[in-house]
Amino acid sequence: HLAEELERQGFMVSHIILQDGPHGGPVCDDHTLAFLQNKLPQCNGYLAVGAGVVNDLTKWLSCERGSFYAVCATAATMNGYTAANVAATLDGVKSLVVSHAPLAVFADPAIIAGAPHELTAAGLGDVLAKPISTADWLMNHHLLDEYFCPFCARMINDLEPTYMEHPAQIKEHAGPAIKGLFDALLYSGIAMTMVGTSAPASGGEHMLSHTLDMMAMVDGAPHDLHGRQVGVTVIFTAALYERLFAMDQFKIRLLPAAIDRGFWGRLADPVERQYREKLPLLERMAGHIRMRTPAWTAFLQSSREQVRPPATIKHCLKTAGAAHTWSDLGCSRERFLAAARHMHEIRKRPTIVDLAWLLGILPDAAESITDQWLTT
């Protein structure tokens, strides 16, 4: 319908419907980008009509070609609409590609409210990552001197009660909760654009979701929606923080010097490159912990003020009809635990996951956290 309307307005329009991947919907990777580059002509601008993958591929293609893009959002399913980055798979590894923000985001409230529930519930899972991502951001700020923007970190604070305190409205697709959720996703993306990184909205919880995606790529199995996976792993990482806050003695146990190459198969080389870049950063973090520096104390204090208890996150997701157990994601307990034990190996930026390894919480606590919080 949009293509027809644009043609009536005198625009020259070429449109394409993305093909599904081998295990469901289309994927955002370097192979699909190359397909689009060969398929679509150079033009002044591109319009994405859809949500996550459609938006990211259009954004990526338009940036590569130096053209603007806009998006017609169809669901409150993720925070990438307004973000100037792309969550892409490069050489099989989940990566962050610097791109550009859209010229405009269009959305019909009736279409957003009427989207399939699994998409809206995925958006809830994605936005609930914010307290964990902020705490991880503070960790990198205090211990590794990463830039931190208090304004961007607070950007969606006033919106959080509209969906966190009314999850039943998310399940019913009614009331201000849907609008609050969609607004929070938009502002979350804006925060990432302002800072220039994914730090305001992506932390350790995203590592477990990305690991599940990469495992699916290695063995050819399907995986669930990004936001549904993130929601479940927010509970897991909130439990890691809970255990951190309960500690009164901090003993360092350095991470393994190399990744488990047998686990990663054909992805081992690119995964190991990222992991090796992270190890010196973890040495710096370990130094702060050993010396109980003011930076370590400041991180503990500031992160306590950010993180929600795992019980609060689980109640919100469960009441909203969102994924909150490993079985909701269509994977076995063993597969989920495998992801939990290997997620520290991807991405060079440290998160609570790496800190939990340094302090000896992981990998030993993976089973007990999974059984306590993610089984029923």
Side-chain angles (χ1 to χ4, degrees), residues 26-34 36 52-61 64 78 80 83-99 198 202 206-207 209-211 213-214 217 223 226 267 270 274 346-347:
V27 294
C28 182
D29 62 8
D30 37 15
H31 299 294
T32 309
L33 176 68
L36 291 175
V53 170
V54 173
N55 175 71
D56 273 5
L57 283 169
T58 308
K59 179 190 308 183
W60 196 4
L61 176 68
E64 290 287 317
M78 53 92 213
N85 52 51
V86 174
T89 299
L90 304 177
D91 293 328
V93 178
K94 295 293 291 188
S95 307
L96 191 72
V97 178
V98 176
S99 185
S198 63
S202 176
H206 275 64
M207 299 305 99
S209 177
H210 292 332
T211 301
D213 291 353
M214 293 165 65
M217 186 174 303
H223 62 79
H226 169 74
L267 301 183
Q274 292 267 329
I346 68 170
R347 294 282 182 93

Side-chain angles (χ1 to χ4, degrees), residues 10 32 36 78 80 93 115-116 131 142 169 183 188 213 230 247 253 256 262 266 273 276 285 289 306-307 354 368:
T32 309
L36 291 175
M78 53 92 213
V93 178
H142 288 296
Q169 291 184 6
D183 287 348
S188 179
D213 291 353
V230 167
M247 298 177 74
R253 183 172 67 185
R266 62 187 176 87
R273 283 195 293 271
R276 289 192 180 280
M285 289 173 55
I289 299 170
Q306 292 294 328
V307 177
D354 303 290
S368 59

Side-chain angles (χ1 to χ4, degrees), residues 2 34 65 102 105 110 121 145 168 187 259 269 282 286 315:
L2 284 172
R65 292 185 167 181
V105 178
D145 301 318
Y187 280 106
I259 66 167
D269 285 344
L282 300 183
H315 170 76

